[in-house]
Amino acid sequence: MRRPTSMSEKRNICGSRLTTACAVMGVCISSNLQASGFAVPELSATGIGTANALVANPVDRGAVPYNPAALAFHDESWLSVGSLLIGPEFSVDTANGSGDSAGANWLAAPMLQGAIKLNERWSAGFSVNAPFGLETRWKTNTFAPLSGSIPLPPPPHGPGGSVPASPQPTQSSLEILDVVPTLTYALSDELAVAVGADLYWVKSAKLNSSITQLEGDGTGLGFNLSALYAKGPFSAGINFHSSTTINVEGSYSVLNPTLLLIGALQPSQTAELDLDLPWRLQLGVRYAFTPALAVEVDWTRNGWNTFEAIQVTGDLNGAILFEDRNDWEDANAYRLGVTYQLQEQTQLRFGYAYDETPQGDAYFSARVPDNDRHLFGIGVGHRLGDGWQIEAGYMYVKFEERKYRSATLYLGDAEINGTDAIDGDYEANAHLIGLAVSRSFDAF
């Protein structure tokens, strides 16, 4: 491939690649504080209280989103409406000083579940949740090697002034909703299986940087399979969600017209990318030591190896605008949940989980400053009578500090991931609150 021979040619190529890199990464990546990568496994208020250890639970309504096969063990139809509130806090110390993400104080996601008992063998269910995404807002000049400007030739040979040496990411956000219809069949009194679909909708994906903006949305389709065995005080469950590719289509626009005049940026246009979501496998066992006390242990495997690269295509000429490498690895999570029936109407919940990060040092990204983390949950459920039930859960998420130092020099090229441009000490934590109200109805 021919190399650029002049300084202006180098500048144009570098500016175009850098801006596109910043823009497209903002569409599909957000910093997440609850699970490995940018996953959000909290699907119910019950799950928040038990640190998501519910895949083997045949009793509680809030366990159904984690294992739809549990519907076979419920004698009633019911509907649950709730919300997940997330308060993230994360910061980085770099050569430019200390920087905090200026994201929204609290973010909200839906938690909606329902069950219909069709007959003694068949049940239908659905849920709506937000299994992926969050938001980051880094201030300009957080990272020193990405700061600065390039002087432009003065008139009459150029427009004069200067342009940013590299795009400064400001806001990156991603909202994904998953609508999950399922069908459950009881093979026997002790064993049930379920099959369902994952209807993903990228409700909002956007980036604001110092010089560009990209917004988009899209849809994708996957499937899920689950099974649950329960006999006496013992139960065991399995749940699998397939990997999914979501086609994201959006509009790419340039905020600095000077960069268009000097040819440093691609013109505003529509573009698209394929966002690969990981497969998820959950296994769990639960044992009721007494009528009041039950303990569950779960293992989760997230197939992040599907998240290898991001490739964005412009619609003007079909050319690949940018290809970014992530090269993540599959990651495990280990969960412990405890439920205690304090009274006939009131249940207490406790949980702890340890989630591994899929992100190594080779392609570490400041947009997803991920690391291993600890999750602590507590919650309560209370039956009010006449089929009504209220639930609440609180979770604290603590990241292990990540002191990232790279031996790969940042040379002003498009590849920022894994370079010393984003060296720093990263810290993060989050507060999660789940609230839900449900009501049961007479079965068939």
Side-chain angles (χ1 to χ4, degrees):
M1 183 176 70
R2 184 182 69 86
R3 295 183 178 274
T5 56
S6 67
M7 181 59 70
S8 61
E9 186 177 359
K10 292 179 180 179
R11 184 181 302 147
N12 290 353
I13 294 175
C14 180
S16 176
R17 293 178 66 190
L18 279 172
T19 303
T20 309
C22 181
V24 300
M25 287 178 67
V27 169
C28 59
I29 300 178
S30 311
S31 179
N32 179 269
L33 299 175
Q34 285 70 251
S36 64
F38 50 91
V40 185
E42 287 74 31
L43 306 180
S44 71
T46 309
I48 294 173
T50 60
N52 304 304
L54 285 174
V55 73
N57 188 318
V59 179
D60 296 307
R61 297 173 185 174
V64 171
Y66 297 84
N67 189 341
L71 284 177
F73 299 90
H74 292 230
D75 295 329
E76 299 174 312
S77 300
W78 49 266
L79 176 67
S80 175
V81 179
S83 180
L84 169 65
L85 305 175
I86 307 170
E89 300 174 1
F90 45 98
S91 62
V92 60
D93 290 330
T94 69
N96 267 18
S98 179
D100 296 325
S101 174
N105 291 331
W106 287 92
L107 305 171
M111 295 189 302
L112 176 66
Q113 297 102 36
I116 302 176
K117 193 76 172 179
L118 301 175
N119 55 45
E120 291 182 354
R121 293 292 183 184
W122 291 95
S123 300
F126 72 93
S127 67
V128 180
N129 49 68
F132 297 97
L134 245 182
E135 184 172 4
T136 57
R137 297 187 189 184
W138 293 115
K139 294 180 180 179
T140 302
N141 300 328
T142 297
F143 304 98
L146 301 179
S147 305
S149 61
I150 299 175
L152 299 176
H157 303 290
S162 63
V163 296
S166 58
Q168 300 297 297
T170 53
Q171 179 186 9
S172 302
S173 66
L174 175 68
E175 295 179 63
I176 297 182
L177 294 180
D178 186 13
V179 180
V180 189
T182 56
L183 193 61
T184 299
Y185 180 71
L187 297 172
S188 67
D189 291 341
E190 293 84 25
L191 179 63
V193 295
V195 61
D198 286 291
L199 309 176
Y200 292 103
W201 173 34
V202 178
K203 180 176 179 290
S204 174
K206 62 183 177 180
L207 167 78
N208 294 324
S209 78
S210 57
I211 52 180
T212 61
Q213 179 173 296
L214 198 153
E215 299 183 357
D217 55 25
T219 58
L221 175 64
F223 67 89
N224 59 83
L225 302 170
S226 59
L228 182 61
Y229 173 83
K231 186 174 182 179
F234 175 80
S235 58
I238 180 172
N239 186 28
F240 175 79
H241 290 261
S242 69
S243 60
T244 305
T245 298
I246 299 179
N247 180 252
V248 178
E249 298 180 347
S251 60
Y252 167 81
S253 56
V254 178
L255 302 179
N256 189 328
T258 302
L259 295 173
L260 285 178
L261 292 175
I262 65 174
L265 291 181
Q266 295 284 339
S268 299
Q269 59 184 290
T270 58
E272 62 182 77
L273 64 89
D274 289 334
L275 172 61
D276 295 322
L277 299 181
W279 53 264
R280 292 165 283 160
L281 175 64
Q282 296 173 284
L283 301 174
V285 293
R286 179 179 184 268
Y287 192 84
F289 290 92
T290 71
L293 176 65
V295 178
E296 178 166 341
V297 177
D298 286 6
W299 170 76
T300 300
R301 181 78 167 176
N302 291 302
W304 284 111
N305 62 349
T306 60
F307 191 64
E308 294 181 351
I310 302 165
Q311 190 177 89
V312 178
T313 303
D315 290 338
L316 284 180
N317 54 17
I320 297 175
L321 299 178
F322 175 74
E323 187 170 14
D324 177 70
R325 190 155 190 84
N326 298 287
D327 208 20
W328 285 9
E329 300 177 350
D330 295 349
N332 298 315
Y334 308 92
R335 313 189 189 283
L336 172 67
V338 178
T339 58
Y340 181 75
Q341 206 67 34
L342 182 64
Q343 298 175 347
E344 182 179 353
Q345 297 83 12
T346 305
Q347 183 188 79
L348 302 180
R349 298 151 183 167
F350 309 91
Y352 167 77
Y354 176 76
D355 281 10
E356 299 174 342
T357 177
Q359 184 185 62
D361 287 341
Y363 296 98
F364 176 79
S365 170
R367 295 187 179 274
V368 192
D370 198 38
N371 203 11
D372 300 339
R373 79 280 326 261
H374 305 269
L375 298 82
F376 306 88
I378 186 171
V380 61
H382 183 74
R383 293 196 297 271
L384 299 173
D386 196 26
W388 288 94
Q389 182 171 313
I390 58 173
E391 298 178 275
Y394 168 77
M395 177 182 290
Y396 175 69
V397 183
K398 177 61 178 175
F399 272 55
E400 294 183 0
E401 182 180 8
R402 185 155 187 172
K403 296 178 182 261
Y404 178 74
R405 303 292 184 273
S406 176
T408 302
L409 299 179
Y410 173 65
L411 302 176
D413 205 352
E415 189 60 68
I416 297 174
N417 290 357
T419 70
D420 65 345
I422 51 178
D423 281 356
D425 298 339
Y426 295 83
E427 295 184 358
N429 62 77
H431 304 273
L432 284 74
I433 297 175
L435 301 170
V437 177
S438 63
R439 189 180 190 277
S440 61
F441 305 90
D442 291 336
F444 63 94

